[in-house]
Amino acid sequence: METNRKEELLVLYASNGDENVYHEALKLFQEALQDNPNDPWLIHSLGYLKECRGIRFLREAADIYETGINTNPDFHKLQYQLIHVRSKIGESHKSIDYYKQKIAADPDDISNYSFLTQSYLYANQLLEAKKVVEAALQVAPRDPSIITCAVELYQRLKDIDKVLKYQQLSLEIDPRNLGVRYIAAFSLEEAGRLEEAAEEWKLLIKSLHEEGYHIEAEWPEGILASIEQRIQDAQV
Amino acid sequence: MKQQNPFAVASAIKNDAFNDVPNVWPEIRKKINRKIADKLLKELDCLPSPEGRVLTEIIYEMTESIQKFEKRGA
């Protein structure tokens, strides 16, 4: 009987998200697992219970961001966050449809191209993201957000020459855009161009220290050290 | 008759020309952006490429809707 009760509660929680149901189910599954800690079905059910709860919280976050966007459409961080959360709950297509409509309504607003590109990148739709970036660069060839999108896109497409081209352009427009330095450094390392990757990390580390980000510089310093070791090992 | 500086005269003529000609560039730019957007949206108006997740999302949503519809009918 208790076995049925746990499963019933799990199905009920998955459909209605009632917190009381969740806590009751959690208690029963945890007690059952204490008696049978290696039972794969119990493990699966407990994991699924937690997974459903996690998805509910992410959906709540998405609703909060959406409400915020309606009242603060110019606060772009909300839009980027919504795109990100939607990708976690299998709803990237909603972001994609939304930004296509925004571009159709206002083709002069370059920010929607940037949001649409991010929506496609999060959904791993690289061909579509490339089309959006190429169109956006015709509309605004020196827009910083589009150029950063281009750097991200070409890193995913493993086109190192384009990564470096757009990284250079990005830094010309905004020398403090450290994000593109990270991407270029990783891309160069991935392409096996270790000396250039090391140079990129050195410039990044220098910028971080100049901006006062000393703690944030520690991790890149570790990466630089490991690349320099690999260069040394290759020469031996 | 006082001789006028030819450069000053040329500059004055140029300024008059610019001031008299209406600035049509914003309108032209708008039309170009519209064409770019329309072309892009037309290219994106097809099934998403299979390498990404959007197709899976759409199929999952359709499957869920059908299941809900069937449950209501049962």
Side-chain angles (χ1 to χ4, degrees):
Chain A
M1 279 299 121
E2 203 180 281
T3 307
N4 288 341
R5 178 68 182 149
K6 288 197 295 298
E7 297 303 329
E8 272 171 23
L9 288 171
L10 178 57
V11 169
L12 193 57
Y13 179 70
S15 71
N16 71 13
D18 186 301
E19 277 293 291
N20 294 328
V21 170
Y22 168 77
H23 287 291
E24 194 184 340
L26 180 67
K27 184 167 171 282
L28 289 176
F29 278 114
Q30 284 173 336
E31 283 169 359
L33 272 165
Q34 271 182 345
D35 295 334
N36 299 287
N38 296 319
D39 184 316
W41 283 111
L42 285 175
I43 293 167
H44 177 271
S45 295
L46 178 59
Y48 186 65
L49 180 70
K50 293 272 185 180
E51 190 182 327
C52 288
R53 194 154 191 259
I55 289 172
R56 285 198 175 273
F57 282 148
L58 286 173
R59 280 195 200 286
E60 279 177 32
D63 289 342
I64 288 167
Y65 292 138
E66 239 182 296
T67 307
I69 288 165
N70 290 335
T71 49
N72 302 276
D74 295 330
F75 192 63
H76 290 177
K77 230 176 141 46
L78 286 171
Q79 309 222 29
Y80 283 120
Q81 216 59 46
L82 178 57
I83 292 166
H84 176 246
V85 161
R86 278 192 174 146
S87 76
K88 300 287 177 203
I89 52 177
E91 291 183 0
S92 285
H93 62 281
K94 287 188 179 173
S95 293
I96 288 165
D97 286 344
Y98 177 75
Y99 289 114
K100 279 188 192 175
Q101 285 169 29
K102 295 289 272 180
I103 288 172
D106 185 0
D108 301 318
D109 185 349
I110 194 65
S111 62
N112 292 317
Y113 283 91
S114 176
F115 296 137
L116 183 57
T117 305
Q118 287 299 325
S119 302
Y120 275 127
L121 285 175
Y122 270 111
N124 213 34
Q125 304 285 155
L126 301 185
L127 293 177
E128 287 86 350
K130 186 165 182 262
K131 288 178 184 171
V132 180
V133 163
E134 285 171 352
L137 286 169
Q138 291 177 59
V139 173
R142 292 180 68 86
D143 180 83
S145 66
I146 294 301
I147 293 166
T148 303
C149 283
V151 176
E152 283 181 53
L153 167 71
Y154 288 114
Q155 188 230 0
R156 299 273 293 271
L157 290 172
K158 301 195 192 302
D159 187 339
I160 183 70
D161 294 330
K162 291 240 171 76
V163 168
L164 296 175
K165 171 185 164 181
Y166 287 108
Q167 181 223 20
Q168 211 171 354
L169 182 56
S170 175
L171 291 169
E172 222 176 82
I173 295 167
D174 180 7
R176 291 177 313 172
N177 184 357
L178 299 182
V180 295
R181 283 218 184 273
Y182 279 100
I183 296 173
F186 280 123
S187 297
L188 285 163
E189 188 185 344
E190 207 175 7
R193 288 157 68 163
L194 297 183
E195 284 87 359
E196 290 168 85
E199 278 315 302
E200 208 52 55
W201 283 115
K202 282 177 191 166
L203 288 166
L204 178 64
I205 289 161
K206 182 170 175 278
S207 300
L208 284 168
H209 281 300
E210 280 170 359
E211 298 282 330
Y213 297 122
H214 306 297
I215 295 173
E216 288 82 353
E218 287 176 12
W219 173 72
E221 280 164 355
I223 298 192
L224 173 61
S226 78
I227 290 177
E228 284 175 334
Q229 185 61 56
R230 283 163 63 189
I231 294 171
Q232 223 177 13
D233 293 345
Q235 284 165 355
V236 164
Chain B
M1 195 168 133
K2 188 182 174 180
Q3 237 184 347
Q4 283 186 305
N5 179 341
F7 294 108
V9 169
S11 179
I13 293 171
K14 181 185 138 191
N15 284 340
D16 282 347
F18 276 133
N19 291 337
D20 288 345
V21 169
N23 185 8
V24 296
W25 289 114
E27 212 38 56
I28 292 172
R29 191 69 246 175
K30 273 181 153 345
K31 285 185 179 157
I32 293 171
N33 290 349
R34 169 52 69 193
K35 279 200 166 173
I36 293 169
D38 289 346
K39 182 170 178 276
L40 170 68
L41 293 170
K42 197 171 169 196
E43 285 174 6
L44 296 174
D45 188 22
C46 58
L47 273 180
S49 54
E51 294 83 15
R53 291 200 306 270
V54 175
L55 199 53
T56 311
E57 285 180 5
I58 293 170
I59 292 169
Y60 179 75
E61 222 174 57
M62 280 170 55
T63 311
E64 263 204 328
S65 298
I66 291 168
Q67 282 172 354
K68 279 182 187 158
F69 180 75
E70 283 174 350
K71 267 187 196 161
R72 259 186 259 135

